[in-house]
Amino acid sequence: VLALHGKIKEVGDKILASNGKEVDFASALRSCEEAGGTLATPTNEEENKAILAIVKQYNRYAYLGIKESEASGQFKSINGMPLNYTKWHQHEPNGKGAENCVEMYTDGSWNDKKCNLYRLTICEF
């Protein structure tokens, strides 16, 4: 269960929340799903900024609900939808199949990263 303590943001029809925990990608996704949501996946600049506000609040990089598809270098939302919005950091993504998850930096840009690192959990509902 997510303990919220004012760590909720509303953006469009989404509610974003973090439990403040840093875990690997699979654990972060499981936490969000157990709470009835999924990992936060920005679909526009407004949503990216709302997620960034939580990232800045904790000053921690966070996993996004985006994974590399079977085609190396191609990324899609974890629900299988194509990404119509991206905010890759300069020269990213560059993992070429070795970095299958995506993290958000504290400036709001994205980086492909290994899935076994500990990053902030931010869920969307």
Side-chain angles (χ1 to χ4, degrees):
V1 176
L2 297 172
L4 298 169
H5 306 294
K7 309 284 195 243
I8 289 184
K9 300 245 176 275
E10 279 190 68
V11 57
D13 57 0
K14 291 183 182 179
I15 294 172
L16 303 171
S18 176
N19 58 10
K21 293 198 170 100
E22 291 181 84
V23 294
D24 63 30
F25 181 87
S27 301
L29 180 59
R30 192 166 49 247
S31 299
C32 291
E33 289 176 343
E34 283 171 359
T38 191
L39 269 174
T41 309
T43 59
N44 57 46
E45 184 67 19
E46 186 187 14
E47 291 178 7
N48 204 72
K49 282 182 177 154
I51 295 166
L52 174 59
I54 297 174
V55 165
K56 282 184 166 173
Q57 196 170 7
Y58 287 98
N59 196 29
R60 297 278 180 272
Y61 294 174
Y63 278 128
L64 298 174
I66 299 167
K67 296 255 328 212
E68 192 163 15
S69 63
E70 297 71 39
S72 182
Q74 299 291 311
F75 287 79
K76 62 185 179 184
S77 167
I78 48 175
N79 66 11
M81 298 299 288
L83 298 178
N84 296 319
Y85 167 85
T86 60
K87 188 148 183 143
W88 294 108
H89 196 75
Q90 191 176 5
H91 308 304
E92 300 295 344
N94 64 3
K96 298 179 187 68
E99 298 178 327
N100 301 323
C101 289
V102 177
E103 66 183 357
M104 179 184 283
Y105 286 154
T106 49
D107 68 357
S109 65
W110 304 358
N111 172 44
D112 57 332
K113 202 70 181 170
K114 288 188 163 57
C115 301
N116 61 349
L117 299 166
Y118 282 52
R119 295 293 181 259
L120 184 63
T121 303
I122 302 177
C123 306
E124 69 177 44
F125 301 93

